């Protein structure tokens, strides 16, 4: 195998595509340090399958791609192509390309190839990435200090059998893989044998199942035949039953025709029955309305009874007030009688003491003033008695009118109750009517009590009138006595002051005193 050319693009310092031709003879590459001489040797090793970044003086395989400078941008890939001449003179081209972050791939004569194929190609030619023919810095001292095993590797490569060792390793690897595959095949065979045993057992079960299935089919056929016989007998029985049913249907049809005739007759009579039903419904509605009216009237009667009871209570209160007023009038009458007695006694004393009137004129004047005061009180009591008599007469008249109205309403309610018709099935209404009758009975008793209290009120009114007449007669007697006394005092020839100037009245009674005395107020 003969190296003829080396093309580089983006590999380390070779940013631009470059080609190195290796002509027959001795080829040397010279130049200053850092110009890329070692990069050429590393490019040869890299294209022959070098996989260790340390051998390429880099931290990672991507570091072989041009990283860029201040004036040049970095590249994203690197490619090295090696042109060879085979043992028969044929052209061989090996290329390796790497892209940043995706790894590298190999091509042999334009076709994709594996890294192992490239290594075997160079190993068969007694060369490769790790061949002793490539001697780097410090490599000579390493060969001199090499161990026997390492020197043996050099001798085997020089003898051209290094490729055999590579193939031997590959064969051993394949042999171990084959042995592992055989072990797995043995396991598979055992598994298949276990499955075959199970399948044989299942086959026996299937045979037994087939035999049982044949027996079952025979039994099912016999059973179906028996069912067919039973079904045929049932069909014959059903045919006989159908004939009987048809005869029964004919008979029932005749009966249905007769019933249809009866239905027609009933429908002909139906309008009259509906008319009767409507009339009965109208009668029921009328009875319901009558019952509603009765309930409303009963409720009205109950409210009226309640009002009458209230009126009777008011009449009782008025009667009690009249009695109280009559008692007050009797007390006033007694006071007036007592006062009249005192006045009579005073008049007798005055007549007895007439000769000494001139000496006791001043005392008599005072007594006359007191008599006038008592007279005013008597007149006031007379006015009160007259007012009370008038109010009692008015209350008696009002009570009589109320009593008359209550009696008229009671008679009207009794007449309406007697005129009401008796509706059927009105138990609740009868109860309400009975309650109304009880309320009316209570009203009647209240009216009776009012009638019984009426004579008492009339007697009280008569007593008040008698008291008023007595008071008036007493007042007339007192007035006559006063006039006689005044005349006697005038006959004495003494100038007297007016009675109006001598009488002292409480505030509010001046008009009553003026109405009672009139012109007598101007007397002496």
């Amino acid at each position: 195998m003969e190296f003829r050319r080396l093309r580089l693009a983006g590999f380390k310092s070779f940013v631009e595509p470059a080609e190195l031709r290796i002509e027959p003879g001795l080829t040397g590459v010279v130049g200053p340090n850092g110009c890329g001489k070692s990069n050429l040797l590393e490019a040869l090793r890299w294209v022959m399958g070098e996989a260790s970044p340390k051998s390429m003086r880099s931290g990672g395989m991507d570091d072989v791609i041009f990283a860029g400078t201040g004036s040049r941008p970095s590249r994203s890939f690197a490619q090295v192509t090696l042109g060879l001449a085979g043992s028969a003179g044929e052209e061989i081209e090996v290329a390796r390309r790497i892209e940043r972050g995706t790894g590298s791939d190999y091509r042999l004569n334009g076709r994709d190839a594996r890294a192992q194929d490239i290594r075997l190609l160079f190993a068969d030619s007694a060369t490769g990435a790790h061949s002793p023919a490539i001697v780097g810095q410090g490599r000579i001292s390493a060969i001199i200090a090499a161990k026997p095993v390492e020197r043996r590797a050099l001798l085997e490569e020089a003898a051209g059998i290094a490729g055999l060792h590579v193939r031997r390793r590959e064969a051993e690897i394949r042999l171990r893989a084959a042995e592992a595959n055989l072990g797995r095949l043995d396991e598979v065979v055992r598994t298949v044998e276990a499955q075959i045993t199970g399948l044989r057992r299942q086959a026996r079960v299937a045979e037994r199942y087939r035999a049982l299935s044949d027996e079952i089919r025979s039994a099912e056929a016999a059973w179906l035949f028996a069912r067919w016989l039973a079904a045929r007998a049932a069909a014959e029985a059903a045919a006989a039953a159908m004939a009987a049913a048809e005869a029964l249907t004919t008979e029932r049809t005749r009966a249905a025709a007769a019933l249809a005739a009866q239905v027609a007759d009933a429908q002909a009579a139906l309008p009259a029955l509906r008319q009767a039903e409507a009339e009965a419904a109208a009668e029921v509605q009328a009875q319901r309305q009558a019952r509603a009216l009765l309930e409303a009237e009963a409720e009205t009667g109950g409210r009226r009874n309640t009002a009458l009871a209230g009126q009777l209570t008011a009449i009782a209160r008025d009667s009690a007030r009249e009695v109280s007023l009559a008692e007050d009038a009797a007390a006033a009458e007694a006071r007036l009688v007592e006062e009249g007695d005192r006045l009579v006694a005073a008049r007798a004393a005055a007549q007895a003491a007439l000769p000494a009137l001139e000496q006791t004129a001043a005392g008599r004047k005072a007594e006359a003033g007191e008599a006038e005061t008592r007279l005013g009180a008597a007149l006031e009591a007379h006015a009160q008695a007259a007012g009370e008599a008038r109010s009692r007469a008015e209350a008696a008249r009002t009570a009589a009118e109320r009593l008359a109205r209550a009696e008229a309403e009671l008679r009207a309610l009794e007449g309406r109750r007697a005129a009401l018709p008796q509706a059927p099935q009105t138990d609740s209404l009868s109860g309400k009517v009975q309650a109304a009758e009880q309320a009316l009975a209570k009203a009647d008793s209240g009216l009776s009590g009012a009638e019984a209290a009426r004579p008492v009120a009339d007697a009280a009114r008569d007593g008040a009138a008698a008291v008023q007449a007595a008071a008036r007669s007493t007042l007339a007697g007192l007035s006559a006595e006063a006039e006689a006394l005044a005349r006697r005092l005038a006959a004495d020839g003494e100038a007297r002051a007016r009675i109006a100037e001598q009488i002292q009245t409480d505030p509010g009674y001046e008009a009553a005193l003026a109405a009672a005395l009139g012109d007598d107020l101007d007397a002496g």
Side-chain angles (χ1 to χ4, degrees):
M1 181 175 287
E2 182 181 353
F3 294 171
R4 290 186 176 181
R5 61 183 176 276
L6 180 66
R7 289 195 299 272
L8 302 91
F11 185 83
K12 287 196 173 183
S13 60
F14 294 92
V15 57
E16 299 295 338
E19 183 175 352
L20 175 64
R21 290 185 176 273
I22 304 173
E23 300 295 340
L26 182 63
T27 301
V29 179
V30 296
N33 293 333
C35 67
K37 300 185 296 295
S38 299
N39 291 341
L40 291 175
L41 183 60
E42 291 177 355
L44 284 174
R45 295 177 60 185
W46 189 68
V47 75
M48 287 189 292
E50 178 60 54
S52 174
K54 292 183 180 180
S55 299
M56 304 298 295
R57 296 182 301 167
S58 60
M61 196 57 72
D62 288 344
D63 292 341
V64 302
I65 302 174
F66 179 70
T69 62
S71 59
R72 289 178 177 272
S74 62
R75 292 295 183 89
S76 60
F77 74 94
Q79 183 173 350
V80 177
T81 303
L82 179 62
L84 303 171
S87 58
E90 71 274 11
E91 290 289 335
I92 301 174
E93 187 180 74
V94 178
R96 184 177 182 181
R97 178 185 176 92
I98 183 172
E99 294 183 2
R100 195 180 301 277
T102 60
S104 60
D105 56 344
Y106 295 87
R107 296 181 71 84
L108 180 60
N109 293 331
R111 296 190 299 272
D112 293 336
R114 299 180 304 164
Q116 186 64 24
D117 296 336
I118 300 300
R119 294 190 189 99
L120 286 176
L121 174 64
F122 289 104
D124 291 340
S125 300
T127 183
H130 299 283
S131 174
I134 300 176
V135 179
Q137 295 179 0
R139 183 66 175 168
I140 300 299
S141 59
I143 293 175
I144 294 173
K147 296 179 180 180
V149 177
E150 297 175 350
R151 286 196 296 270
R152 179 180 178 180
L154 292 174
L155 295 175
E156 288 178 350
E157 186 173 354
I161 60 175
L164 297 177
H165 287 287
V166 174
R167 283 183 169 80
R168 178 182 176 183
R169 285 196 299 273
E170 289 186 356
E172 289 176 352
I173 292 172
R174 291 177 181 175
L175 182 60
R176 285 194 292 271
E179 290 176 352
N181 290 334
L182 287 175
R184 287 196 295 272
L185 286 175
D186 290 338
E187 293 178 358
V188 170
V189 168
R190 287 192 294 272
T191 303
V192 170
E193 288 178 352
Q195 292 178 356
I196 289 172
T197 303
L199 291 174
R200 287 174 180 173
R201 186 167 54 253
Q202 292 177 4
R204 289 193 298 269
V205 172
E207 289 294 336
R208 184 179 178 185
Y209 172 76
R210 187 179 296 111
L212 291 175
S213 297
D214 294 340
E215 294 178 0
I216 289 171
R217 280 196 296 272
S218 299
E220 286 180 349
W223 178 66
L224 290 174
F225 180 72
R227 286 189 61 186
W228 177 77
L229 292 177
R232 187 174 65 179
E236 293 176 355
M242 184 178 67
E246 288 178 352
L248 182 60
T249 301
T250 303
E251 183 180 356
R252 294 292 174 82
T253 303
R254 295 193 190 95
L259 290 175
Q262 295 178 3
V263 168
D265 297 338
Q267 289 179 351
L270 186 60
L273 295 176
R274 288 180 177 174
Q275 181 65 27
E277 181 184 4
E279 293 176 356
E283 183 65 24
V284 169
Q285 185 64 25
Q287 294 294 334
R288 289 178 178 174
Q289 293 178 357
R291 183 176 65 182
L293 290 174
L294 288 174
E295 291 176 353
E297 290 178 356
E299 185 177 358
T300 303
R303 289 196 298 269
R304 187 59 185 168
N305 289 333
T306 303
L308 290 174
Q311 293 177 2
L312 290 175
T313 303
I315 290 171
R317 287 197 301 269
D318 293 341
S319 298
R321 189 171 60 252
E322 293 295 334
V323 171
S324 178
L325 292 175
E327 292 177 355
D328 294 339
E333 181 181 3
R335 287 195 302 271
L336 289 174
V337 171
E338 184 179 356
E339 186 67 24
D341 294 339
R342 286 198 300 271
L343 290 174
V344 170
R347 184 180 62 180
Q351 290 177 356
L354 185 59
L357 287 175
E358 293 178 351
Q359 290 82 9
T360 60
R364 293 300 182 182
K365 186 183 293 185
E367 291 177 359
E370 292 177 358
E372 291 294 330
T373 302
R374 289 195 297 272
L375 178 61
L379 292 175
E380 181 180 356
H382 172 68
Q384 290 180 354
E388 289 175 356
R390 285 194 297 271
S391 64
R392 289 177 182 177
E394 184 66 21
R397 186 180 60 78
T398 303
E401 290 176 356
R402 290 180 180 177
L403 182 60
R405 285 197 300 271
E407 289 176 352
E409 289 176 357
L410 181 60
R411 287 192 296 273
L413 287 175
E414 289 178 352
R416 293 177 65 183
R417 183 182 63 182
L420 289 175
Q422 297 295 329
Q425 298 179 357
T426 56
D427 296 336
S428 60
L429 183 59
S430 300
K432 293 181 179 179
V433 171
Q434 292 177 1
E437 291 176 353
Q438 293 176 0
L440 289 174
K442 291 180 180 179
D444 292 337
S445 62
L447 289 174
S448 300
E451 289 291 340
R454 184 173 180 179
V456 178
D458 293 338
R461 184 183 60 185
D462 295 338
V467 170
Q468 184 180 9
R472 285 179 179 177
S473 61
T474 303
L475 179 60
L478 291 174
S479 298
E481 292 177 359
E483 290 176 356
L485 182 59
R487 285 193 299 270
R488 291 180 63 184
L489 291 175
D492 292 339
E494 292 183 355
R496 303 289 185 184
R498 292 189 308 114
I499 296 176
E501 295 176 356
Q502 302 295 325
I503 295 177
Q504 295 181 358
T505 60
D506 295 335
Y509 290 93
E510 294 85 358
L513 180 61
L517 297 181
D519 296 336
D520 294 336
L521 291 173
D522 294 330

